[in-house]
């Protein structure tokens, strides 16, 4: 490692590009934004007239990285002849500490012109989106620029052809998996419904039917558990692509973590600003979901859009608009898509949180009488739709085929094979260790459960520690339409840490998430598919 | 100063809020974003489940600040029991290093709900804007949230009543100057035209006429010189309000730096994200300009909107739309406004850069035959409009009155009084020391100057070092419509540093900013007021 320092001509950067700084890893995690740190007395800083938040390019033979500048006035953090980089930027540059780098004012990424046109309300073409998404994936955009792109493409700012361009550009910026199969099926839900772990039932059912379903799922971003988090209770989910391919070869299915960065790296970066803004526009949803599915090698997809008063989609017209957008873009991408609009009025199953959800899934697979019927029914219907992608299955027969596979124990056997292949973890749903700190939420009056707020229950489960604490969460005792007496248990909250329990309790005190009314108050379920 | 450290219960933050960290000033300039730094092994960080980019609240009795979290994995930067703050955040908190603070997940600022409604396309009310602008001014918004607000209120997102609400909210968030005068006049240009230093002529003219004109100007943000930068060549511009008031009392006028933060603190914060995006929407322009004018105590304003192919406003319909928006909001604010649409086809005067512009201004004041006629004429016309705000001046007489004041030397005498009162600096425009490194840009063919690109000339002057290097910049030798022979000088670039000269030369090579054509190619001047 080269530790010599060459701060250049001491009379003040007399020759352009002659002065170099010694690279330093700051070990500061600035998330998806690259940040460079320079000392305020650094000669290059003074000579170039950078300002805080200037975009700079850090370079040495063949390696370069763009970063936003923070100016440091503290010799303990950084010497005058050093250039510090935040963690992600340091890794991208791929050099050793102490190597000599040059720093210059960065030209704005080329695609910024296209971003400005979109900000001015213009329509962009495929090449514009390619340029923008390339720069996003390469971390060339600052947080400000990323946010501007996300807000300027929010709501009705993109027409459907532009949504296709965005999706196509996101696909091209990522890795593409090839399963060497004619039909590769997948199922996806747009999210927002706690406990909705249908994938963990659908994959063993359709794999038992002989269809290839290499399911990669995400971890929770804002929810109390993602499918990957729940599956991780039962088995390892972080597998190499080679290992996954081997498991799919043997068992037709798998349930692993997507490690999304490779499949749609731009999406990961965009989510880093969409999440703090709670932005989830149709265009961004379609591009994010379909780009990952196509990159993951899926040819046939069933998409689940739940509707309900506290679901992401709250009315049938809205669901239909979203369905048509998904269908249009999928058509342009040559992806076979079957959209299902489902009942999103309340959480699915009883458990919310990784361990509680894994319990529900295993009870369904084992045909346990305590199994949540709504999870079973929804999974069978979705699996049936996937099975109907087989050319030899008649429309309408899928459900019965799926039910036979589940009832006969073939789905459970397939799930056990997949768990064993991925690497089983010790878990016995008949002998659960849940978070030991609990409190109960009870009905304050008699009546009928006429509302369960998906968002608030998810929030409470997160405060309780899920998914970081796998056995924390919320266990529902009553579902929509059930009668309750004053004092009846509605749900129990499990936590591991007292502070988590207190956070959850505070959230419950603001709003318990249950409404007790009369049978007539129960909202109409628009859908039964 | 208390340097004891109490990292709380070592078994992991058992009691809520019990654990405290020792405050550390990181001396990192993150511009207008508050950043907090925690060590990744800090118990509070681990117990609370913060993520990088979480918003946290740092607090101790009575003091608190919101900041975005960066996670540090380096004991040299920060110990496990320390909480670091970026410079601005440290100053806002107003505590000493080593004091004990608590850190908690911050509730989102209350106005975030209103921001979400705007992102969803809703119309906001005055109280919504008040809440948002309050949070912006108090640095409660992250860069992501600021950008979302700026982009969501860009273009046609706000109706004119909402623009009034935004302006009113910005006024309420700032300090208000009271000059104890019935009529306080001011003049403002929306910007974009290099060399446009009319204020330095208008103020002495109208002050000599006896009108009160306490002019506060900005420094350059993206331009090669602001009025404050150019005036600083001649006199001190950073004066206390008390000193300004004393000068205005004695001389009726002043030309100082606005120190904008106090007059419209929210505007300063918003500009920190608008600038990197080159966003300058009508709504933001109106709110920014009018909020500062009202806060500065102006009662009567002349507003200059230049039109030209490379000006901010490029067509008459666009100028008229902008004029009506300014007039509507000014009317709601009870500010008397006279909008003037002017010729913005090229820079005003010859010099671009502080010293060169100061030279032009002094030549006009001294009625020097080398004075740029366009600067003289435009200043007289604008000053005439201001003079017509006097109840005893007939409409149409203002220009002649202004011309008499200038030609008689009374404007020069007034300017010299103001310069002396503010504190004169050594400057002799007949014995200039310009940046010693120069290059000339010459006509490559014979013809008529048919285009001068405001934006490119400003860019070249900035690369040459202006305004940071006051005597750097561009000195124009030819203006629109003038005939040139091949090899004739078009302009000369002055710089102090070789690297600056090279940057400017590179910019000239990409585009020199001059078009040589025929007389018929000279764009039509829409306006002559």
């Amino acid at each position: 490692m080269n530790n010599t320092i060459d701060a250049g001509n001491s009379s003040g950067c007399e020759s352009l590009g002659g002065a170099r700084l010694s690279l330093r890893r700051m070990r500061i995690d600035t998330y998806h934004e690259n940040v460079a740190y320079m000392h305020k007395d650094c000669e290059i800083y003074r000579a170039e007239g950078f300002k805080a938040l200037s975009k700079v390019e850090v370079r040495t033979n063949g390696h370069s990285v763009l970063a936003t500048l923070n100016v440091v006035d503290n010799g303990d953090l950084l010497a005058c002849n050093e250039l510090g980089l935040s963690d992600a930027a340091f890794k991208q540059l791929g050099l050793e500490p102490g190597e000599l780098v040059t720093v210059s004012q960065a030209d704005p990424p080329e695609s910024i012109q296209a971003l400005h046109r979109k900000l001015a309300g213009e329509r962009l073409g495929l090449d514009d989106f390619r340029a923008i998404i390339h720069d996003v994936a390469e971390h060339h955009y600052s947080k400000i620029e990323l946010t501007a792109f996300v807000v300027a493409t929010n709501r009705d700012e993109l027409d459907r052809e532009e949504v296709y361009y965005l999706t196509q550009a996101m696909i091209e910026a990522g890795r593409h998996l090839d399963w060497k199969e004619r039909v590769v099926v997948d199922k996806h839900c747009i999210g927002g419904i706690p406990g909705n772990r249908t994938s963990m039932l659908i994959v063993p059912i359709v794999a038992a039917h002989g269809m290839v379903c290499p399911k990669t799922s995400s971890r929770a971003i804002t929810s109390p558990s993602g499918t990957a988090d729940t599956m991780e209770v039962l088995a390892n989910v972080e597998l190499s692509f080679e290992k996954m391919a081997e498991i799919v070869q043997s068992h037709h299915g798998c349930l692993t973590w997507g490690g999304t960065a490779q499949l749609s790296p731009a999406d990961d970066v965009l989510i880093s600003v969409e999440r703090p803004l709670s932005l989830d526009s149709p265009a961004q949803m379609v591009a994010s979901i379909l780009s990952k599915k196509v990159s993951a090698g899926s040819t046939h997809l069933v998409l689940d859009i739940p509707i309900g008063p506290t679901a992401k989609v709250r009315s049938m017209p809205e669901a239909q608009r979203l369905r048509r957008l998904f269908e249009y873009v999928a058509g342009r991408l040559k992806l076979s898509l079957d959209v299902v609009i489902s009942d999103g009025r309340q959480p699915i199953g009883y458990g919310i949180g990784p361990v509680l959800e894994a319990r529900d899934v295993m009870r369904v697979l084992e045909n346990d009488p305590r199994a949540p019927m709504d999870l079973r029914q929804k999974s069978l219907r979705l699996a049936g739709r996937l099975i109907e992608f087989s050319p030899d299955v008649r429309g309408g027969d899928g459900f019965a085929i799926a039910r036979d596979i589940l009832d006969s124990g073939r789905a459970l056997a397939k799930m056990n094979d997949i768990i064993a292949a991925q690497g089983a973890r010790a878990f016995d749903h008949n002998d659960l260790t849940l978070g030991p700190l609990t409190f109960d939420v009870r009905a304050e009056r008699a009546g009928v459960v006429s509302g369960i707020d998906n968002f608030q229950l998810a929030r409470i489960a997160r405060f309780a520690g899920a998914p970081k604490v796998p056995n924390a969460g919320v266990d529902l005792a009553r579902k929509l339409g059930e009668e309750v007496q004053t004092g009846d248990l509605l749900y129990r909250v499990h936590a591991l840490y007292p502070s988590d329990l207190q956070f959850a309790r505070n959230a419950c005190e603001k709003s318990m998430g249950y409404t007790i009314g009369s049978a007539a108050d129960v909202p109409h379920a628009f859908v039964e598919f």
Side-chain angles (χ1 to χ4, degrees), chain A residues 7-189:
Chain A
N9 186 322
S10 67
S11 65
C13 190
E14 288 297 319
S15 62
L16 256 188
R20 304 176 115 202
L21 298 174
S22 172
L23 182 63
R24 179 165 183 158
R25 178 176 186 175
M26 297 295 281
R27 297 186 176 277
I28 297 180
D29 176 7
T30 54
Y31 210 54
H32 282 286
E33 180 167 60
N34 289 340
V35 176
Y37 301 84
M38 284 177 101
H39 196 283
K40 82 166 190 0
D41 293 329
C42 169
E43 295 200 353
I44 295 180
Y45 168 63
R46 282 162 43 208
E48 299 276 342
F50 296 140
K51 289 197 173 148
L53 291 197
S54 284
K55 193 86 80 69
V56 296
E57 182 172 11
V58 179
R59 210 172 10 179
T60 194
N61 34 21
H63 299 250
S64 91
V65 74
L66 296 181
T68 300
L69 183 65
N70 279 193
V71 180
V72 174
D73 179 15
N74 180 347
D76 293 346
L77 296 190
L78 199 68
C80 295
N81 51 22
E82 287 183 318
L83 183 282
L85 284 180
S86 63
D87 260 25
F90 182 86
K91 283 178 204 149
Q92 275 176 255
L93 189 59
L95 297 176
E96 293 295 320
E99 291 204 51
L100 297 184
V101 295
T102 61
V103 183
S104 57
Q105 191 101 38
D107 283 330
E110 286 203 15
S111 67
I112 288 290
Q113 290 306 323
L115 172 61
H116 283 158
R117 297 211 314 280
K118 182 41 84 184
L119 286 171
E122 284 182 38
R123 186 169 183 280
L124 299 186
L126 178 55
D127 285 339
D128 295 321
F129 282 102
R130 282 187 173 128
I132 290 173
I133 291 302
H134 171 82
D135 280 332
V136 167
E138 296 288 322
H139 297 261
H140 291 172
Y141 272 26
S142 68
K143 260 193 299 187
I144 289 174
E145 289 156 351
L146 286 174
T147 308
F149 176 70
V150 160
V151 175
T153 56
N154 186 31
R155 291 193 296 134
D156 308 321
E157 314 288 350
L158 298 186
D159 64 32
R160 63 189 196 171
E161 193 68 5
E162 285 182 290
V163 178
Y164 158 61
Y165 294 154
L166 174 61
T167 312
Q168 178 63 28
M170 284 169 74
I171 292 167
E172 291 173 12
R175 183 177 173 184
H176 189 273
L177 305 186
D178 184 354
W179 300 98
K180 319 270 183 210
E181 293 280 347
R182 206 179 47 79
V183 175
V184 176
V185 300
D186 203 350
K187 167 259 151 196
H188 193 90
C189 175

Side-chain angles (χ1 to χ4, degrees), chain A residues 489-504:
Chain A
L489 181 65
L490 298 176
Y491 60 89
R492 177 168 292 166
V493 176
H494 291 271
L496 180 59
Y497 299 110
S499 57
D500 289 346
L501 195 75
Q502 188 59 45
F503 276 127

Side-chain angles (χ1 to χ4, degrees), chain A residues 280-293:
Chain A
D280 203 0
S281 74
Q284 286 150 358
M285 194 189 291
V286 168
S288 170
I289 291 172
L290 295 187
S291 67
K292 283 184 182 158
K293 295 301 162 191

Side-chain angles (χ1 to χ4, degrees), chain A residues 205-206 209 379-390 393-405:
Chain A
I205 292 171
V206 303
H209 183 67
S379 301
L380 287 177
R381 287 176 189 277
L382 290 168
R385 291 294 190 99
L386 280 171
I387 287 171
E388 290 176 19
F389 280 136
S390 310
V393 173
R394 284 170 61 94
D397 287 357
F399 181 84
I401 297 173
R403 192 183 51 205
D404 286 349
I405 294 173

Side-chain angles (χ1 to χ4, degrees), chain A residues 302-443:
Chain A
V302 167
L303 184 87
D304 174 20
I305 302 181
I307 305 188
T310 58
K312 280 189 184 176
V313 173
R314 305 195 171 187
S315 74
M316 189 52 93
E318 195 185 340
Q320 296 294 353
R321 263 200 308 279
L322 187 57
R323 177 181 66 72
R324 286 192 298 271
L325 185 59
F326 267 108
E327 287 171 346
Y328 178 82
V329 175
R332 300 283 274 129
L333 296 168
K334 317 247 180 281
L335 173 71
S336 291
L337 176 68
D338 195 2
V339 175
V340 162
I341 294 174
S342 69
D343 179 1
R345 294 173 299 162
Q346 61 178 339
I348 300 291
Y350 300 121
I352 304 173
V355 164
L356 288 160
E357 293 173 12
R359 174 202 67 191
D360 284 355
V361 165
M362 291 312 297
R363 284 180 178 169
V364 173
L365 283 168
E366 297 190 351
N367 298 305
D368 187 308
R370 295 166 299 175
M373 277 306 289
D374 57 348
L375 178 61
R376 173 187 156 94
Q377 282 297 104
K378 182 170 180 181
S379 301
L380 287 177
R381 287 176 189 277
L382 290 168
R385 291 294 190 99
L386 280 171
I387 287 171
E388 290 176 19
F389 280 136
S390 310
D392 54 347
V393 173
R394 284 170 61 94
D397 287 357
F399 181 84
I401 297 173
R403 192 183 51 205
D404 286 349
I405 294 173
L406 181 61
D407 289 349
S408 66
R410 287 162 58 210
L412 175 62
K414 177 59 80 176
M415 184 64 160
N416 285 332
D417 289 349
I418 292 172
I419 289 172
Q422 292 188 193
R425 298 198 164 194
F427 177 75
D428 179 356
H429 68 274
N430 290 309
D431 182 20
L432 287 181
T433 312
L434 294 174
L437 307 176
T438 68
F439 67 88
D440 289 347
V441 175
R442 295 178 179 278

